[in-house]
Amino acid sequence: MSGPPPGIDISSGGGPPPGVNTGRGGYVDPNWPFPGGPNDAPVIIYGYTPSFALALLATILFCLYFVAHLFQVVRYRTVYFCTFPIGLAFEIVGYIARCLSAKVNPYNLIFFILQYFFIVTAPVFLAAGIYAILSALIHRLGREYSLLPPKWILWFFITSDVVATITQITGAALIGVKQKKKEDPTAANNILLGGLAYQVFAIGLFIILSGVFIFRARRQIKQAGLTLFIAAFSTATLLIYLRTVFRLAETAEGLGGDLSTKEVYFGTLEFLPVVLAVPLLNVWHPGRCVGRSIASDSKEEAGIVELESRG
């Protein structure tokens, strides 16, 4: 991140004068005087003052989705889908911090770090829930239609999600530490970039495996009345993938690049894909449509699941 312009003493509470462009590290809002607090950066790292309306809308929507998904996970006892509410909890924390940036102090590093950390890592948990759905579908419709056994698919993508989660959390946390110390965050950014790149690879591979399975099992999908669910599942997967590709491109540019300093990109390629994907799996919840288990092969359970999916 760029430092303050020459001659400005941050320690004394001064900041860049209104309207000064400090380069790729951020900018100064001419309508928001520099607070000069101990946790304040000399510039607004976002590259803009975040929209309070967008952050508040996101917080409200994700709170509603969280309550709905948590209720459905408990109601349908879909333990395999419990990572979805966890991801939504991350979204809520992230957008609350973004609200504080927008309304209280856009220069505050703590608010920036919290929103960045939680919003960047939340979709990793959402993706874990989506991975589990494919295993549930394979058990429901037949293993012969899948390129790989469902257990292999589940464990490979769970492992991939763990690797992506640890890497992204480490990278995002280190970026926060570097920004707070006003040090170069390039190395930390590269760690986050690696985690995002691996997640893009994993979701891309998942899309291929899912596509092959759906094509092979197309008749069984129709007979089971799962056509709309498959459409919702596929759309949600592609939306999460779009968001992850955006984050990869943004991180590759680094903080201060065009993708990270124009809120229109954040709104349309981070907020919008996730906020559209999540309710699809509320309406067509896997616990109701597919079943509560990803490991049962009994005919009795299959019959129960079919009755529930039509109820």
Side-chain angles (χ1 to χ4, degrees):
M1 186 187 75
S2 301
I8 292 176
D9 182 7
I10 299 173
S11 62
S12 63
V20 168
N21 186 345
T22 59
R24 289 176 58 86
Y27 96 115
V28 175
D29 188 341
N31 299 314
W32 200 300
F34 177 66
N39 293 318
D40 293 332
V43 292
I44 297 175
I45 302 173
Y46 296 94
Y48 53 83
T49 300
S51 166
F52 178 69
L54 175 62
L56 181 62
L57 175 64
T59 302
I60 293 171
L61 289 176
F62 284 121
C63 281
L64 294 174
Y65 295 158
F66 170 78
V67 171
H69 269 288
L70 186 61
F71 170 77
Q72 289 174 310
V73 164
V74 173
R75 179 185 178 185
Y76 299 117
R77 289 182 284 176
T78 44
V79 177
Y80 67 86
F81 205 59
C82 67
T83 59
F84 223 74
I86 294 173
L88 293 173
F90 270 54
E91 296 280 7
I92 292 166
V93 174
Y95 280 102
I96 288 175
R98 197 172 176 92
C99 283
L100 294 172
S101 279
K103 200 70 174 177
V104 178
N105 181 4
Y107 296 88
N108 188 280
L109 275 170
I110 304 301
F111 298 157
F112 174 81
I113 291 167
L114 286 173
Q115 67 86 34
Y116 189 81
F117 175 85
F118 283 100
I119 294 175
V120 165
T121 56
V124 178
F125 295 94
L126 303 181
I130 288 174
Y131 297 154
I133 291 175
L134 179 59
S135 282
L137 281 169
I138 293 171
H139 281 290
R140 169 78 185 274
L141 299 173
R143 298 184 181 185
E144 64 270 24
Y145 304 113
S146 176
L147 289 175
L148 297 172
K151 185 177 291 186
W152 289 17
I153 289 176
L154 184 62
W155 284 108
F156 172 78
F157 287 109
I158 284 179
T159 302
S160 295
D161 227 40
V162 169
V163 171
T165 301
I166 293 173
T167 308
Q168 290 182 47
I169 285 177
T170 301
L174 288 175
I175 286 173
V177 171
K178 294 294 184 180
Q179 294 288 359
K180 185 170 176 54
K181 293 181 177 179
K182 300 179 177 61
E183 296 175 357
D184 182 10
T186 301
N189 194 73
N190 288 338
I191 294 174
L192 178 61
L193 182 64
L196 287 165
Y198 186 75
Q199 189 182 11
V200 167
F201 162 76
I203 298 178
L205 181 60
F206 176 80
I207 289 172
I208 293 172
L209 292 173
S210 298
V212 171
F213 173 78
I214 290 169
F215 178 77
R216 287 181 169 183
R218 59 193 182 279
R219 291 181 182 176
Q220 285 67 29
I221 289 169
K222 187 175 181 179
Q223 290 171 1
L226 291 173
T227 303
L228 287 177
F229 174 79
I230 292 298
F233 164 69
S234 301
T235 303
T237 302
L238 291 173
L239 285 168
I240 296 297
Y241 186 63
L242 171 64
R243 173 266 167 202
T244 306
V245 170
F246 159 67
R247 279 297 190 180
L248 176 63
E250 179 196 51
T251 306
E253 278 194 343
L255 286 173
D258 286 341
L259 290 176
S260 65
T261 57
K262 292 184 172 69
E263 193 169 22
V264 63
Y265 292 127
F266 177 89
T268 56
L269 295 173
E270 166 65 50
F271 164 72
L272 193 58
V274 179
V275 88
L276 291 177
V278 171
L280 288 174
L281 296 175
N282 276 128
V283 178
W284 291 280
H285 193 274
R288 178 177 65 85
C289 298
V290 182
R292 65 186 57 167
S293 173
I294 59 175
S296 175
D297 294 314
S298 71
K299 292 182 179 179
E300 181 182 357
E301 175 69 9
I304 293 172
V305 167
E306 185 171 355
L307 288 173
E308 288 183 348
S309 68
R310 292 178 179 179

Coordinates of all heavy atoms in Angstrom, one line a residue, residues 189-249:
N189 N -0.6 -11.3 -0.4 CA -1.5 -11.3 -1.5 C -1.3 -12.5 -2.4 O -2.2 -13.1 -2.9 CB -1.3 -10.0 -2.3 CG -2.5 -9.7 -3.3 OD1 -3.6 -9.4 -2.9 ND2 -2.2 -9.9 -4.6
N190 N 0.0 -12.9 -2.5 CA 0.3 -14.1 -3.4 C -0.2 -15.3 -2.7 O -0.6 -16.3 -3.4 CB 1.8 -14.1 -3.6 CG 2.3 -13.1 -4.6 OD1 1.5 -12.5 -5.3 ND2 3.6 -12.7 -4.5
I191 N -0.2 -15.4 -1.4 CA -0.7 -16.6 -0.7 C -2.2 -16.7 -0.9 O -2.8 -17.7 -1.3 CB -0.4 -16.5 0.8 CG1 1.1 -16.6 1.1 CG2 -1.2 -17.6 1.6 CD1 1.5 -16.3 2.5
L192 N -2.9 -15.5 -0.8 CA -4.4 -15.5 -1.1 C -4.6 -15.9 -2.5 O -5.6 -16.6 -2.8 CB -4.9 -14.1 -0.8 CG -6.4 -13.9 -1.0 CD1 -7.3 -14.8 -0.2 CD2 -6.8 -12.4 -0.8
L193 N -3.8 -15.4 -3.4 CA -3.9 -15.7 -4.8 C -3.8 -17.2 -5.1 O -4.6 -17.7 -5.9 CB -2.9 -14.9 -5.6 CG -2.9 -15.1 -7.2 CD1 -4.2 -14.5 -7.7 CD2 -1.7 -14.4 -7.8
G194 N -2.9 -17.8 -4.4 CA -2.7 -19.3 -4.6 C -4.0 -20.0 -4.1 O -4.4 -21.0 -4.8
G195 N -4.5 -19.6 -3.0 CA -5.7 -20.2 -2.5 C -6.9 -20.1 -3.4 O -7.7 -21.0 -3.6
L196 N -7.1 -18.9 -4.0 CA -8.2 -18.6 -4.9 C -8.0 -19.4 -6.2 O -8.9 -19.9 -6.8 CB -8.3 -17.1 -5.2 CG -8.8 -16.3 -4.0 CD1 -8.6 -14.8 -4.3 CD2 -10.3 -16.5 -3.9
A197 N -6.7 -19.4 -6.7 CA -6.4 -20.2 -7.9 C -6.8 -21.6 -7.7 O -7.4 -22.3 -8.6 CB -5.0 -20.0 -8.3
Y198 N -6.4 -22.2 -6.6 CA -6.7 -23.6 -6.4 C -8.2 -23.8 -6.3 O -8.8 -24.8 -6.8 CB -6.1 -24.1 -5.1 CG -6.2 -25.6 -4.9 CD1 -5.5 -26.5 -5.6 CD2 -7.1 -26.1 -3.9 CE1 -5.7 -27.8 -5.5 CE2 -7.3 -27.4 -3.8 CZ -6.6 -28.3 -4.5 OH -6.8 -29.7 -4.4
Q199 N -8.9 -22.9 -5.7 CA -10.4 -23.0 -5.6 C -11.0 -22.9 -6.9 O -12.0 -23.6 -7.2 CB -11.0 -21.9 -4.6 CG -12.4 -22.1 -4.3 CD -13.0 -21.0 -3.5 OE1 -12.4 -20.0 -3.2 NE2 -14.2 -21.2 -3.0
V200 N -10.5 -22.0 -7.8 CA -11.0 -21.9 -9.2 C -10.8 -23.2 -9.9 O -11.7 -23.7 -10.6 CB -10.4 -20.8 -9.9 CG1 -10.6 -20.9 -11.4 CG2 -10.9 -19.4 -9.4
F201 N -9.7 -23.8 -9.7 CA -9.4 -25.1 -10.3 C -10.3 -26.2 -9.8 O -10.9 -27.0 -10.6 CB -7.9 -25.5 -10.0 CG -7.7 -27.0 -10.2 CD1 -7.5 -27.5 -11.5 CD2 -7.5 -27.9 -9.1 CE1 -7.3 -28.9 -11.7 CE2 -7.3 -29.2 -9.3 CZ -7.2 -29.7 -10.6
A202 N -10.5 -26.3 -8.5 CA -11.4 -27.3 -7.9 C -12.8 -27.1 -8.3 O -13.5 -28.1 -8.7 CB -11.3 -27.2 -6.3
I203 N -13.3 -25.9 -8.3 CA -14.7 -25.7 -8.7 C -14.9 -26.0 -10.2 O -15.9 -26.6 -10.6 CB -15.2 -24.3 -8.4 CG1 -15.2 -24.0 -6.9 CG2 -16.7 -24.1 -8.9 CD1 -15.6 -22.6 -6.5
G204 N -13.9 -25.7 -11.0 CA -13.9 -26.0 -12.4 C -14.0 -27.5 -12.7 O -14.8 -28.0 -13.5
L205 N -13.2 -28.2 -11.9 CA -13.2 -29.7 -12.0 C -14.5 -30.2 -11.6 O -15.1 -31.2 -12.2 CB -12.1 -30.3 -11.2 CG -11.9 -31.8 -11.2 CD1 -11.7 -32.3 -12.6 CD2 -10.8 -32.2 -10.3
F206 N -15.1 -29.7 -10.5 CA -16.4 -30.1 -10.0 C -17.5 -29.9 -11.0 O -18.4 -30.7 -11.2 CB -16.7 -29.3 -8.7 CG -18.0 -29.6 -8.1 CD1 -18.3 -30.7 -7.4 CD2 -19.1 -28.7 -8.4 CE1 -19.5 -31.0 -6.8 CE2 -20.3 -29.0 -7.8 CZ -20.6 -30.1 -7.1
I207 N -17.4 -28.7 -11.7 CA -18.4 -28.4 -12.8 C -18.4 -29.5 -13.9 O -19.4 -30.0 -14.4 CB -18.2 -27.0 -13.3 CG1 -18.6 -26.0 -12.3 CG2 -19.0 -26.8 -14.6 CD1 -18.2 -24.6 -12.7
I208 N -17.2 -29.9 -14.2 CA -17.0 -30.9 -15.3 C -17.6 -32.3 -14.8 O -18.4 -32.9 -15.5 CB -15.5 -31.1 -15.6 CG1 -15.0 -29.9 -16.3 CG2 -15.4 -32.4 -16.6 CD1 -13.5 -29.9 -16.6
L209 N -17.3 -32.7 -13.6 CA -17.8 -34.0 -13.0 C -19.3 -33.9 -12.9 O -20.0 -34.9 -13.2 CB -17.1 -34.3 -11.7 CG -15.7 -34.6 -11.7 CD1 -15.1 -34.7 -10.3 CD2 -15.4 -35.9 -12.5
S210 N -19.8 -32.8 -12.4 CA -21.3 -32.6 -12.3 C -22.0 -32.6 -13.6 O -23.0 -33.3 -13.7 CB -21.6 -31.3 -11.5 OG -21.0 -31.2 -10.3
G211 N -21.4 -31.9 -14.6 CA -22.0 -31.9 -15.9 C -22.1 -33.3 -16.5 O -23.1 -33.7 -17.1
V212 N -21.0 -34.1 -16.4 CA -21.0 -35.5 -16.9 C -22.1 -36.3 -16.2 O -22.8 -37.0 -16.9 CB -19.6 -36.1 -16.8 CG1 -19.7 -37.6 -17.1 CG2 -18.6 -35.4 -17.7
F213 N -22.1 -36.2 -14.9 CA -23.1 -36.9 -14.2 C -24.6 -36.6 -14.5 O -25.4 -37.4 -14.8 CB -22.9 -36.7 -12.7 CG -24.0 -37.4 -11.8 CD1 -24.0 -38.7 -11.6 CD2 -25.0 -36.6 -11.3 CE1 -25.0 -39.3 -10.8 CE2 -26.0 -37.2 -10.5 CZ -26.0 -38.5 -10.3
I214 N -24.8 -35.3 -14.6 CA -26.2 -34.8 -15.0 C -26.6 -35.3 -16.4 O -27.7 -35.7 -16.6 CB -26.2 -33.3 -14.8 CG1 -26.2 -32.8 -13.4 CG2 -27.5 -32.7 -15.5 CD1 -25.9 -31.4 -13.2
F215 N -25.6 -35.2 -17.3 CA -25.9 -35.7 -18.7 C -26.2 -37.2 -18.7 O -27.2 -37.6 -19.3 CB -24.7 -35.4 -19.6 CG -25.0 -35.9 -21.0 CD1 -25.8 -35.2 -21.9 CD2 -24.3 -37.0 -21.4 CE1 -26.0 -35.7 -23.2 CE2 -24.5 -37.5 -22.7 CZ -25.3 -36.8 -23.6
R216 N -25.4 -38.0 -18.0 CA -25.6 -39.4 -18.0 C -26.9 -39.8 -17.3 O -27.6 -40.8 -17.6 CB -24.4 -40.1 -17.3 CG -23.2 -40.1 -18.1 CD -22.1 -40.8 -17.4 NE -20.9 -41.1 -18.2 CZ -19.8 -41.7 -17.8 NH1 -19.8 -42.2 -16.5 NH2 -18.8 -41.9 -18.6
A217 N -27.3 -39.1 -16.2 CA -28.4 -39.4 -15.4 C -29.7 -38.6 -15.8 O -30.6 -38.5 -15.0 CB -28.1 -39.2 -13.9
R218 N -29.7 -38.0 -17.0 CA -30.8 -37.1 -17.3 C -32.1 -37.8 -17.3 O -33.1 -37.1 -16.9 CB -30.5 -36.5 -18.7 CG -30.4 -37.5 -19.9 CD -29.8 -36.8 -21.1 NE -29.7 -37.7 -22.2 CZ -28.7 -38.5 -22.4 NH1 -27.7 -38.6 -21.5 NH2 -28.7 -39.3 -23.5
R219 N -32.2 -39.0 -17.7 CA -33.5 -39.7 -17.6 C -34.0 -39.9 -16.2 O -35.2 -39.7 -15.8 CB -33.5 -41.0 -18.4 CG -33.3 -40.9 -19.9 CD -33.2 -42.2 -20.6 NE -33.0 -42.1 -22.0 CZ -32.9 -43.1 -22.8 NH1 -32.9 -44.4 -22.3 NH2 -32.7 -42.9 -24.1
Q220 N -33.1 -40.3 -15.4 CA -33.4 -40.6 -13.9 C -33.8 -39.3 -13.2 O -34.6 -39.2 -12.4 CB -32.2 -41.2 -13.2 CG -32.0 -42.7 -13.6 CD -31.6 -42.9 -15.0 OE1 -30.9 -42.1 -15.7 NE2 -31.9 -44.1 -15.6
I221 N -33.1 -38.2 -13.6 CA -33.4 -36.9 -13.0 C -34.8 -36.5 -13.4 O -35.6 -36.0 -12.5 CB -32.4 -35.8 -13.6 CG1 -31.0 -36.0 -13.0 CG2 -32.9 -34.4 -13.3 CD1 -29.9 -35.2 -13.6
K222 N -35.2 -36.7 -14.6 CA -36.6 -36.4 -15.0 C -37.6 -37.3 -14.3 O -38.7 -36.8 -13.8 CB -36.7 -36.5 -16.5 CG -38.1 -36.1 -17.1 CD -38.1 -36.1 -18.6 CE -39.4 -35.6 -19.2 NZ -39.4 -35.6 -20.7
Q223 N -37.3 -38.6 -14.2 CA -38.2 -39.5 -13.6 C -38.4 -39.2 -12.1 O -39.5 -39.4 -11.5 CB -37.7 -40.9 -13.8 CG -37.8 -41.4 -15.2 CD -37.1 -42.8 -15.4 OE1 -36.6 -43.4 -14.5 NE2 -37.2 -43.3 -16.7
A224 N -37.3 -38.7 -11.5 CA -37.4 -38.4 -10.0 C -38.0 -37.1 -9.7 O -38.1 -36.7 -8.6 CB -36.0 -38.5 -9.4
G225 N -38.3 -36.3 -10.8 CA -38.9 -35.0 -10.6 C -37.8 -34.0 -10.1 O -38.2 -33.0 -9.3
L226 N -36.6 -34.1 -10.4 CA -35.5 -33.3 -9.9 C -35.0 -32.3 -11.0 O -34.0 -31.6 -10.7 CB -34.3 -34.1 -9.5 CG -34.6 -35.0 -8.2 CD1 -33.4 -35.9 -8.0 CD2 -34.8 -34.1 -7.0
T227 N -35.8 -32.1 -12.0 CA -35.3 -31.2 -13.1 C -35.1 -29.8 -12.6 O -34.0 -29.1 -12.8 CB -36.3 -31.2 -14.3 OG1 -36.5 -32.5 -14.7 CG2 -35.8 -30.3 -15.4
L228 N -36.0 -29.2 -11.8 CA -35.9 -27.9 -11.3 C -34.8 -27.8 -10.3 O -34.1 -26.8 -10.2 CB -37.2 -27.4 -10.7 CG -38.3 -27.1 -11.7 CD1 -39.6 -26.7 -11.0 CD2 -37.9 -25.9 -12.6
F229 N -34.7 -28.8 -9.5 CA -33.6 -28.8 -8.5 C -32.2 -28.8 -9.2 O -31.3 -28.0 -8.8 CB -33.7 -30.0 -7.6 CG -32.5 -30.1 -6.6 CD1 -32.4 -29.3 -5.5 CD2 -31.4 -30.9 -6.9 CE1 -31.3 -29.3 -4.7 CE2 -30.3 -31.0 -6.1 CZ -30.2 -30.2 -5.0
I230 N -32.1 -29.6 -10.2 CA -30.8 -29.6 -10.9 C -30.5 -28.3 -11.6 O -29.3 -27.8 -11.6 CB -30.8 -30.7 -12.0 CG1 -30.8 -32.1 -11.4 CG2 -29.6 -30.6 -12.9 CD1 -29.6 -32.4 -10.5
A231 N -31.5 -27.6 -12.1 CA -31.3 -26.3 -12.7 C -30.9 -25.3 -11.6 O -30.0 -24.5 -11.8 CB -32.6 -25.8 -13.3
A232 N -31.5 -25.4 -10.4 CA -31.1 -24.5 -9.3 C -29.7 -24.8 -8.8 O -28.9 -23.9 -8.6 CB -32.1 -24.6 -8.1
F233 N -29.4 -26.0 -8.7 CA -28.0 -26.5 -8.2 C -27.0 -26.0 -9.2 O -25.9 -25.5 -8.8 CB -28.1 -28.0 -8.1 CG -26.7 -28.7 -8.0 CD1 -25.9 -28.5 -6.9 CD2 -26.3 -29.5 -9.1 CE1 -24.6 -29.1 -6.9 CE2 -25.0 -30.1 -9.0 CZ -24.2 -29.9 -7.9
S234 N -27.2 -26.2 -10.5 CA -26.3 -25.9 -11.5 C -26.1 -24.3 -11.6 O -24.9 -23.9 -11.7 CB -26.7 -26.4 -12.9 OG -26.9 -27.8 -12.9
T235 N -27.2 -23.6 -11.5 CA -27.1 -22.1 -11.5 C -26.3 -21.6 -10.3 O -25.4 -20.7 -10.4 CB -28.5 -21.5 -11.5 OG1 -29.2 -22.0 -12.7 CG2 -28.4 -20.0 -11.6
A236 N -26.6 -22.1 -9.1 CA -25.9 -21.7 -7.9 C -24.4 -22.0 -8.0 O -23.5 -21.2 -7.6 CB -26.5 -22.4 -6.7
T237 N -24.1 -23.2 -8.6 CA -22.6 -23.6 -8.7 C -21.9 -22.6 -9.7 O -20.8 -22.1 -9.4 CB -22.5 -25.0 -9.3 OG1 -23.2 -25.9 -8.4 CG2 -21.1 -25.4 -9.4
L238 N -22.5 -22.3 -10.8 CA -21.9 -21.4 -11.8 C -21.8 -20.0 -11.2 O -20.8 -19.3 -11.5 CB -22.7 -21.4 -13.1 CG -22.7 -22.7 -13.9 CD1 -23.7 -22.6 -15.0 CD2 -21.3 -23.0 -14.4
L239 N -22.8 -19.5 -10.4 CA -22.7 -18.2 -9.8 C -21.5 -18.1 -8.8 O -20.8 -17.1 -8.8 CB -24.0 -17.8 -9.1 CG -25.2 -17.5 -10.0 CD1 -26.5 -17.4 -9.3 CD2 -24.9 -16.1 -10.7
I240 N -21.4 -19.1 -8.0 CA -20.2 -19.2 -7.0 C -18.9 -19.2 -7.8 O -17.9 -18.6 -7.4 CB -20.4 -20.4 -6.0 CG1 -21.6 -20.2 -5.2 CG2 -19.1 -20.5 -5.2 CD1 -21.6 -19.0 -4.3
Y241 N -18.9 -20.0 -8.8 CA -17.7 -20.0 -9.7 C -17.3 -18.7 -10.3 O -16.2 -18.2 -10.3 CB -17.9 -21.1 -10.8 CG -16.7 -21.3 -11.6 CD1 -15.5 -21.9 -11.1 CD2 -16.6 -21.1 -13.0 CE1 -14.4 -22.1 -11.8 CE2 -15.5 -21.3 -13.8 CZ -14.4 -21.9 -13.2 OH -13.3 -22.1 -13.9
L242 N -18.4 -18.0 -10.8 CA -18.2 -16.6 -11.3 C -17.6 -15.7 -10.3 O -16.6 -15.0 -10.6 CB -19.5 -16.0 -11.8 CG -19.5 -14.6 -12.2 CD1 -18.6 -14.3 -13.4 CD2 -20.9 -14.1 -12.5
R243 N -18.1 -15.7 -9.1 CA -17.6 -14.9 -8.0 C -16.1 -15.2 -7.7 O -15.3 -14.3 -7.5 CB -18.5 -15.1 -6.8 CG -18.0 -14.4 -5.5 CD -17.1 -15.3 -4.7 NE -16.4 -14.6 -3.7 CZ -15.3 -15.1 -3.1 NH1 -14.8 -16.3 -3.4 NH2 -14.7 -14.4 -2.2
T244 N -15.8 -16.5 -7.7 CA -14.4 -16.9 -7.3 C -13.4 -16.5 -8.4 O -12.3 -16.1 -8.1 CB -14.4 -18.5 -7.1 OG1 -15.4 -18.8 -6.1 CG2 -13.0 -18.9 -6.6
V245 N -13.9 -16.6 -9.7 CA -13.0 -16.2 -10.8 C -12.8 -14.7 -10.7 O -11.6 -14.2 -10.9 CB -13.6 -16.5 -12.2 CG1 -12.9 -15.8 -13.3 CG2 -13.7 -18.0 -12.4
F246 N -13.8 -13.9 -10.3 CA -13.6 -12.5 -10.1 C -12.6 -12.2 -9.0 O -11.7 -11.4 -9.2 CB -15.0 -11.8 -9.7 CG -14.8 -10.5 -9.0 CD1 -14.3 -9.4 -9.7 CD2 -15.2 -10.3 -7.7 CE1 -14.2 -8.2 -9.1 CE2 -15.0 -9.1 -7.0 CZ -14.5 -8.0 -7.7
R247 N -12.7 -12.9 -7.9 CA -11.8 -12.7 -6.8 C -10.4 -13.0 -7.2 O -9.4 -12.4 -6.7 CB -12.2 -13.4 -5.5 CG -13.3 -12.8 -4.7 CD -12.9 -11.4 -4.2 NE -13.8 -10.9 -3.2 CZ -13.7 -9.8 -2.6 NH1 -12.6 -9.0 -2.8 NH2 -14.6 -9.3 -1.7
L248 N -10.2 -14.1 -8.0 CA -8.9 -14.4 -8.5 C -8.3 -13.3 -9.3 O -7.1 -12.9 -9.1 CB -9.0 -15.7 -9.3 CG -7.7 -16.2 -9.9 CD1 -6.6 -16.5 -8.9 CD2 -7.9 -17.4 -10.8
A249 N -9.1 -12.8 -10.2 CA -8.6 -11.7 -11.1 C -8.3 -10.5 -10.3 O -7.3 -9.8 -10.5 CB -9.7 -11.4 -12.2

